[in-house]
Amino acid sequence: MKVSKSERLTFASLALALANDYSSIYVIDPVDDSYVEYTADGDDKKLIPVSSGSNFFEDVPKNCRELVWKDDQEYFLAAFRKETFLQALQDGRSFSLTYRLKINGSPRYFFLKTIRANDKSVVIGVQDIHEQKQKELLEEAASRKYSEIAGSLAGLFEVIYYIDVKTGQYTEYGASENFAKLGLESEGSNFFRKVKTDMRRLLHPDDCRRMMDELRKDSLLKKLREQQMVTMNYRHFIDGEVVYMQLLAFRPQNDDGRIVIGVLNVDAQTRRDSAGRTYSHIAEALAGRYEVIYYVDVDSNEYIQYSASEQYSKLGTTKKGDDFFADTERDIKKYVYFDDMPRLLAEMQKPRLMNNLAQSGFVSINYRQLLGGRQQYMNMTVVHPKNDEHHIILGVLNTDLQVRRELSMKEMTRTFNDIAMALAQRYEVIYHVNIITNEYTEYSASEKYTKLKVGVKGKDFFRETRENMQHDIYPEDLPMMLDSMKKSNLLKSLSEYGKTFLTYRLMLDGSPQYVSLYAVRPKEDSEHIIIAVANVDAAKRMELAYKNALDMANTDALTGVLNKRAYVQAEIEMDQLIDRDENPDFAIVICDVNGLKQVNDTRGHHAGDEHIRSACAVICETFRNSRVFRIGGDEFAVILEGTDYENRVSLMVNFRKTLEERKGSGFVLLASGISDFERGRDMRTQDVFERADNLMYDNKQICKEENNRLIYKQLISAISSAGDQNDFA
């Protein structure tokens, strides 16, 4: 592919490939496999060639060995074998790939997408996604880290065992109703022998042997020495039904002599294929936010500190102890801000705390603490674990940023009037209107607005405004403004929404100009409202010009429907919704115009254009409430949503019936196929498109066979007619 050094390609010519601001673009010639690499240059975003080659597929292996990270080379080369590569791009399809490049000796993540352009050239866009990918990997690691704390805080565990590693003695805490029915012992002298017996009786046979091996004492302790927490998933029989469970084992902080094992019911989440994601989110939300967590025995006052942030641990608070309430009193006197100290000491007296907890189910206390060398706002939440009245869990949350933000907002509210006066310089005019007497004052006005002869002061704002609008408002906007500025309507809008925005056109200097009106009532019981008018003509006209330009770029010039660029954008937007599982139900119809080549060859391209327009008209007439796209010379796509999706069966029947009725009259014929989005199966819009496209080709073959039979019948009829005429002669 020969390209001069001075040649530049604009983003418009490669719009489809540049949808996500790719850093490099490769364009491959479909005839000889030569290629050119482009990159964006300058503020005008022109694409300039930076390298080229005579055969893309021969250069790929060499470049791959030099540039692609070693672990990714094999599957990268497999994807770029010529046969595999071209097969993936058949029928207008595209494919994408995430891989790592070797940059300064380290792996860096990149993403590429490949499509065919209208001229059959292959376009490859390459994007650097390293920061985004690293963030995702870090978030996944953080989610796993917090799993143990989440179960304790949220009361999600079916049962918790507290086990002495040396003796094997154990105690069961907080067994759920379902687990209590199993008849398991609540305490005993040898946990590991007891659990082996219970597993044979209660676990699914396919999981029993694995769980017995993993819960051997030596095996479990070895894993806990290597990692902070051990997680095991298995199936349990409860009430004769198989229930998915998850076991979590960990050591309490600074206590190597014991382990804690919690059993979590994850059946519902597992069956919805979202157990991991849901549990990780709970873990982050509950545990990751706390500075410190205490587990307190309210019978003996003994406690253990299970988790602490780095900053909080520097205070030197006790990690475990025999009297939580005595130690807490000492810590409050040492670390809590003196103004909050008496109140917090009173709240944390054991009788008062337990009484409040019994009445409301949880206790929440706000206070200030000296942390990191300065006063910070904190919140303490106290709850009972599920089905356990003998223990409480206390979580201390740093709310300093949130509280200071709220205090800042209150301070900002106190200075609102000063800010309003400063902002007034941006407006053409501001009115202060008494809604009881209708009297008003104009605080400022531009020279242009003064020419409208609106009074600086007045007795009746609404009457005078109504009179002035008759000659100042652009005629097309007058009915809307008369209705909106009626006193009762304006006050109702302010009561419901707190403020009102109106955009309309004023006659200024003899021509209409866009202005924006903003009305607000400072307080609900205020006797005044403030109305400000700003000239937004330049911005509004720029917005309209941009909208018109965007509409033109997305419109097919021949038919007036949306073009392939618009379809690609629609597909990207729908794929984003599918990724978030927020997309509505939809179907895609693919239509192909039959006989277009014959029309072009026999009657000329002008007749061919009319043939395409006629086909488009019948498609639009049938699918009135759907977006119609011309995605190729003789191919159309329709995205059915809403009522058209609900009525898709009857619409397709009517569509094909219309074509059948007009078939003998020389009317344009169309092959068609339709496919629904199948939630849980389809990962992208392209999956639905491909099924509809295949069904369209099946229908096209049927149409072709029917047309051949019709021609054959016509030929036989013509021969028979000629024979009858000879006999008559």
Side-chain angles (χ1 to χ4, degrees):
M1 180 178 288
K2 297 181 179 179
V3 179
S4 66
K5 293 183 179 180
S6 62
E7 179 180 354
R8 289 174 176 265
L9 295 179
T10 65
F11 271 96
S13 65
L14 292 172
L16 299 179
L18 292 175
N20 288 309
D21 292 328
Y22 296 106
S23 56
S24 296
I25 303 295
Y26 294 83
V27 181
I28 306 171
D29 192 302
V31 177
D32 60 6
D33 296 339
S34 61
Y35 67 97
V36 179
E37 178 189 1
Y38 297 89
T39 188
D41 180 53
D43 294 335
D44 58 353
K45 296 298 182 183
K46 294 288 186 178
L47 289 174
I48 62 172
V50 295
S51 68
S52 62
S54 59
N55 192 306
F56 176 84
F57 297 100
E58 291 180 357
D59 290 349
V60 162
K62 175 185 176 183
N63 293 332
C64 175
R65 299 302 182 191
E66 294 178 356
L67 302 175
V68 176
W69 188 250
K70 184 177 180 180
D71 293 344
D72 296 347
Q73 289 180 5
E74 294 303 321
Y75 86 86
F76 184 94
L77 288 173
F80 277 90
R81 291 192 186 96
K82 184 173 181 180
E83 298 78 13
T84 306
F85 184 86
L86 297 179
Q87 179 69 26
L89 294 177
Q90 283 187 353
D91 302 325
R93 292 179 295 178
S94 64
F95 79 91
S96 57
L97 188 69
T98 299
Y99 59 99
R100 291 169 292 180
L101 289 180
K102 184 167 56 179
I103 307 295
N104 296 326
S106 300
R108 189 171 183 87
Y109 285 94
F110 283 78
F111 169 85
L112 66 79
K113 184 170 184 179
T114 306
I115 61 171
R116 276 196 185 277
N118 289 337
D119 62 353
K120 301 302 181 181
S121 297
V122 177
V123 181
I124 302 175
V126 180
Q127 183 182 27
D128 187 334
I129 60 167
H130 189 73
E131 284 72 20
Q132 173 187 345
K133 189 69 176 178
Q134 289 294 100
K135 182 179 179 181
E136 293 174 358
L137 294 174
L138 288 174
E139 289 176 349
E140 292 174 1
S143 296
R144 292 189 296 270
K145 179 180 178 181
Y146 295 120
S147 297
E148 167 261 320
I149 300 174
S152 298
L153 288 174
L156 295 176
F157 288 105
E158 294 290 317
V159 65
I160 296 175
Y161 295 101
Y162 192 61
I163 305 159
D164 188 305
V165 174
K166 185 175 181 180
T167 66
Q169 288 185 320
Y170 69 93
T171 303
E172 174 191 284
Y173 293 95
S176 68
E177 182 179 351
N178 284 334
F179 240 75
K181 293 178 181 178
L182 300 176
L184 303 177
E185 297 175 1
S186 59
E187 59 183 357
S189 59
N190 192 326
F191 173 82
F192 296 96
R193 183 174 61 192
K194 174 255 187 190
V195 77
K196 181 183 292 188
T197 302
D198 290 341
M199 285 192 294
R200 289 194 183 101
R201 180 167 59 94
L202 299 172
L203 264 60
H204 192 283
D206 292 346
D207 298 337
C208 187
R209 173 53 59 186
R210 172 178 58 84
M211 289 296 294
M212 290 175 68
D213 291 340
E214 292 183 350
L215 276 177
R216 288 202 323 269
K217 181 178 178 179
D218 56 346
S219 176
L220 181 60
L221 293 179
K222 179 182 178 182
K223 289 182 179 180
L224 287 173
R225 284 193 295 270
E226 298 171 350
Q227 57 198 63
Q228 294 181 346
M229 182 177 66
V230 174
T231 302
M232 307 174 196
N233 293 310
Y234 63 99
R235 286 162 292 180
H236 205 294
F237 286 109
I238 297 179
D239 291 336
E241 298 291 332
V242 174
V243 179
Y244 287 91
M245 311 296 289
Q246 185 176 72
L247 182 149
L248 290 85
F250 59 93
R251 289 183 183 273
Q253 187 167 340
N254 300 320
D255 188 354
D256 292 335
R258 291 175 174 81
I259 58 175
V260 177
I261 294 179
V263 177
L264 181 69
N265 186 327
V266 295
D267 188 77
Q269 300 97 315
T270 301
R271 295 184 188 280
R272 293 194 304 267
D273 295 326
S274 61
R277 182 175 58 198
T278 301
Y279 192 63
S280 296
H281 287 175
I282 293 172
E284 287 192 30
L286 291 176
R289 299 168 59 222
Y290 286 92
E291 297 289 322
V292 63
I293 297 166
Y294 295 99
Y295 185 70
V296 184
D297 186 322
V298 294
D299 297 327
S300 66
N301 292 345
E302 293 180 350
Y303 69 96
I304 300 174
Q305 177 184 304
Y306 279 99
S307 173
S309 70
E310 180 180 357
Q311 188 178 35
Y312 201 90
S313 63
K314 292 179 181 178
L315 295 178
T317 53
T318 308
K319 306 298 182 184
K320 60 186 298 184
D322 298 326
D323 192 334
F324 171 79
F325 294 97
D327 291 348
T328 296
E329 182 177 346
R330 185 189 66 245
D331 290 340
I332 289 173
K333 292 177 179 179
K334 187 175 181 181
Y335 299 114
V336 172
Y337 187 61
F338 64 90
D339 285 351
D340 297 339
M341 191 183 301
R343 175 176 57 82
L344 189 58
L345 285 170
E347 294 282 354
M348 291 303 294
Q349 290 296 312
K350 182 177 179 180
R352 180 170 177 174
L353 179 65
M354 299 307 296
N355 181 61
N356 292 338
L357 192 58
Q359 291 181 2
S360 60
F362 75 97
V363 174
S364 179
I365 307 171
N366 295 309
Y367 60 96
R368 287 166 291 180
Q369 182 166 314
L370 297 174
L371 194 63
R374 69 183 184 91
Q375 168 190 320
Q376 296 193 34
Y377 289 91
M378 313 295 291
N379 172 265
M380 179 187 294
T381 301
V382 187
V383 296
H384 277 296
K386 186 177 181 181
N387 300 320
D388 183 1
E389 297 297 323
H390 299 284
H391 294 84
I392 57 175
I393 296 175
L394 297 92
V396 177
L397 182 67
N398 189 325
T399 60
D400 193 64
L401 289 177
Q402 176 186 345
V403 174
R404 292 186 186 279
R405 188 181 298 114
E406 292 172 355
L407 294 174
S408 176
M409 291 177 66
K410 291 179 181 178
E411 180 65 24
M412 290 173 63
T413 301
R414 286 193 289 268
T415 61
F416 176 77
N417 290 334
D418 294 337
I419 296 172
M421 292 301 295
L423 290 175
Q425 303 302 317
R426 298 176 51 199
Y427 293 97
E428 299 289 328
V429 63
I430 297 177
Y431 295 102
H432 190 245
V433 184
N434 187 312
I435 58 176
I436 306 300
T437 66
N438 292 344
E439 293 177 344
Y440 69 93
T441 303
E442 177 186 302
Y443 282 94
S444 65
S446 69
E447 182 179 351
K448 284 185 177 181
Y449 209 88
T450 304
K451 293 178 181 179
L452 299 177
K453 299 180 181 179
V454 179
V456 175
K457 286 182 177 290
K459 298 294 185 182
D460 192 332
F461 174 82
F462 295 97
R463 179 180 60 79
E464 294 179 30
T465 296
R466 189 165 56 252
E467 294 173 356
N468 292 328
M469 285 194 297
Q470 298 293 337
H471 51 78
D472 295 335
I473 302 290
Y474 189 68
E476 292 182 4
D477 299 340
L478 181 58
M480 180 271 294
M481 287 300 294
L482 286 172
D483 183 70
S484 299
M485 292 303 293
K486 187 177 179 180
K487 182 178 179 179
S488 58
N489 292 343
L490 180 60
L491 295 182
K492 180 181 179 181
S493 177
L494 291 174
S495 174
E496 292 178 353
Y497 306 109
K499 51 194 171 185
T500 296
F501 291 93
L502 298 171
T503 299
Y504 58 101
R505 285 163 290 184
L506 272 180
M507 297 302 296
L508 296 171
D509 294 336
S511 62
Q513 294 191 27
Y514 285 94
V515 297
S516 177
L517 180 148
Y518 171 67
V520 64
R521 193 173 184 179
K523 297 180 181 178
E524 287 186 2
D525 58 349
S526 175
E527 295 182 354
H528 293 83
I529 60 174
I530 297 171
I531 297 176
V533 179
N535 190 320
V536 295
D537 189 74
K540 185 66 177 180
R541 294 190 185 279
M542 186 180 298
E543 177 188 337
L544 293 173
Y546 175 78
K547 185 178 183 300
N548 290 336
L550 191 60
D551 288 344
M552 291 178 63
N554 288 333
T555 301
D556 177 56
L558 178 62
T559 62
V561 298
L562 297 169
N563 60 15
K564 187 168 184 177
R565 181 183 186 277
Y567 178 81
V568 171
Q569 185 60 38
E571 192 173 77
I572 292 171
E573 294 169 358
M574 293 174 72
D575 284 349
Q576 292 171 348
L577 292 174
I578 291 171
D579 288 342
R580 301 193 299 267
D581 198 23
E582 296 175 359
N583 62 295
D585 291 331
F586 70 92
I588 293 179
V589 177
I590 302 299
C591 299
D592 187 86
V593 182
N594 290 338
L596 178 61
K597 184 177 185 304
Q598 181 181 0
V599 173
N600 284 332
D601 292 343
T602 59
R603 296 164 54 194
H605 285 280
H606 179 73
D609 290 347
E610 287 299 319
H611 199 65
I612 292 172
R613 278 192 284 265
S614 297
C616 182
V618 73
I619 295 171
C620 293
E621 180 181 349
T622 302
F623 307 104
R624 295 175 181 271
N625 302 312
S626 298
R627 291 175 289 174
V628 178
F629 306 81
R630 184 183 177 207
I631 58 174
D634 56 358
E635 193 170 15
F636 293 82
V638 187
I639 299 177
L640 305 186
E641 296 174 310
T643 57
D644 273 8
Y645 173 80
E646 295 171 0
N647 301 323
R648 61 194 182 282
V649 175
S650 60
L651 288 174
M652 285 300 293
V653 170
N654 292 337
F655 179 63
R656 290 180 174 174
K657 183 178 179 182
T658 298
L659 295 175
E660 183 67 25
E661 291 173 350
R662 301 180 182 181
K663 183 164 62 175
S665 61
F667 187 76
V668 61
L669 297 179
L670 290 147
S672 61
I674 182 172
S675 180
D676 294 352
F677 171 78
E678 298 182 20
R679 202 175 299 276
R681 173 189 175 188
D682 294 330
M683 305 302 294
R684 54 181 186 160
T685 310
Q686 183 71 21
D687 298 333
V688 186
F689 177 97
E690 290 174 0
R691 286 200 302 273
D693 195 49
N694 290 335
L695 291 171
M696 180 275 290
Y697 277 109
D698 292 341
N699 182 243
K700 190 177 185 71
Q701 183 62 32
I702 293 172
C703 292
K704 183 177 180 181
E705 292 172 358
E706 289 179 352
N707 188 54
N708 289 340
R709 285 195 294 269
L710 179 61
I711 294 173
Y712 177 79
K713 288 181 180 179
Q714 291 173 344
L715 181 60
I716 295 300
S717 177
I719 293 172
S720 176
S721 176
D724 292 341
Q725 291 176 4
N726 290 335
D727 292 340
F728 181 78

